Amino acid sequence: MPGPIGAECPAHLTRLNSRRRPNPAQVTFCVQTVISPLLSNIYLDRLDHRRVGAGFEMVRYADDFVLLCPSEAQARAALEQVQAWTVAAGLRLHPTKTRILDATQPGGFDFLGYPFERGYRWPRAKSLKKFKETIRAKTRRTQGQSLSAIVTDLNRTLRGWLGYFPNSHRTTFSHLDGWIRMRLRSILRRRQKRKGGGRGLDHQRWPNAFFAEQGLFSLVMAHAAVCQSSSR
């Protein structure tokens, strides 16, 4: 049950005009600003303490949180408790993003960049799109850098992206690895004055082992290493 909070927290201040007479001013702190995470932690710290011993688990990051309950009835009771607390605190739950669901069934929910569904998680479509746009910009066919320089540049992006999404389902990475190698084959193909993309016989001219020898970071292998390390 995701519970992003749209925190509209009015603070009544006093402002002096040119005649030194006080004028009331109302300041509203809006979400998605630089100070928003700090305000969220200040306001929601009391909720963190309140849920201890309340019969449910809560995972929170800034103003996004998920309540974990063993049954629908307990989930509804937990939601009622949180709703009562937010009203008393002068906050409100997001009206469309707050919902109760069974995470073991199709549909799932999004939390911190991951869609959670039936025990699996993947990067959001928006995150994948942004990642691919970055890779495309680094692997244009007209790229004038050496293959070694391109690989070095790619590796920085690949390591950083895996570092943010290390818990994605393994099928995420095999597809991306193949797509990246295809783009590199297209660059090499163009440099040989041949048209078309890096497919077909290009897999024999530049097999996967070739790119491994060039030092290309493999998302599949790195993800496997992360999983092996976490299972120890």
Side-chain angles (χ1 to χ4, degrees):
M1 180 180 65
I5 290 185
E8 298 178 350
C9 313
H12 293 281
L13 306 177
T14 299
R15 177 178 61 191
L16 296 178
N17 61 17
S18 59
R19 297 183 180 179
R20 308 293 296 176
R21 288 182 297 186
N23 287 337
Q26 179 170 302
V27 178
T28 300
F29 299 107
C30 300
V31 297
Q32 297 182 343
T33 62
V34 174
I35 201 173
S36 177
L38 173 61
L39 293 174
S40 299
N41 288 330
I42 292 174
Y43 272 87
L44 298 180
D45 179 68
R46 289 173 293 167
L47 179 61
D48 292 339
H49 292 285
R50 185 182 182 88
R51 62 91 182 172
V52 176
F56 60 86
E57 295 293 328
M58 182 174 74
V59 180
R60 182 176 70 82
Y61 183 85
D63 62 345
D64 289 331
F65 62 85
V66 176
L67 305 179
L68 305 175
C69 304
S71 69
E72 181 179 347
Q74 288 172 295
R76 294 191 180 281
L79 177 58
E80 290 178 0
Q81 291 181 39
V82 172
Q83 285 177 324
W85 182 89
T86 53
V87 169
L91 307 173
R92 63 184 179 86
L93 295 175
H94 195 289
T96 59
K97 293 183 179 180
T98 302
R99 57 198 176 106
I100 295 176
L101 56 86
D102 185 347
T104 65
Q105 300 300 314
F109 62 94
D110 289 356
F111 185 58
L112 300 183
Y114 283 103
F116 288 78
E117 181 179 358
R118 294 173 292 178
Y120 299 106
R121 49 193 164 186
W122 303 267
R124 289 185 302 176
K126 182 179 179 181
S127 300
L128 280 171
K129 181 181 178 181
K130 184 178 180 180
F131 172 73
K132 285 191 170 185
E133 287 174 352
T134 301
I135 297 300
R136 286 190 183 98
K138 296 176 182 290
T139 56
R140 294 189 178 94
R141 294 184 189 180
T142 55
Q143 178 67 266
Q145 292 179 306
S146 67
L147 180 61
S148 175
I150 295 173
V151 167
T152 299
D153 190 25
L154 280 174
N155 285 350
R156 286 192 289 265
T157 299
L158 297 175
R159 288 192 179 95
W161 196 78
L162 178 67
Y164 193 83
F165 295 105
N167 300 312
S168 298
H169 192 266
R170 63 181 184 276
T171 55
T172 301
F173 304 107
S174 58
H175 163 73
L176 292 174
D177 269 356
W179 177 73
I180 292 168
R181 288 191 296 264
M182 181 271 291
R183 293 194 61 82
L184 292 175
R185 289 185 181 105
S186 296
I187 294 174
L188 296 173
R189 183 182 181 90
R190 181 182 177 87
R191 291 179 180 180
Q192 292 187 352
K193 308 299 183 182
R194 293 186 295 119
K195 298 180 180 180
R199 297 183 175 87
L201 293 177
D202 290 336
H203 287 267
Q204 298 177 17
R205 295 187 183 95
W206 304 292
N208 295 354
F210 169 79
F211 296 106
E213 291 171 358
Q214 302 302 311
L216 180 65
F217 185 83
S218 169
L219 291 170
V220 168
M221 295 182 64
H223 178 251
V226 170
C227 292
Q228 184 177 7
S229 176
S230 62
S231 65
R232 292 176 181 175

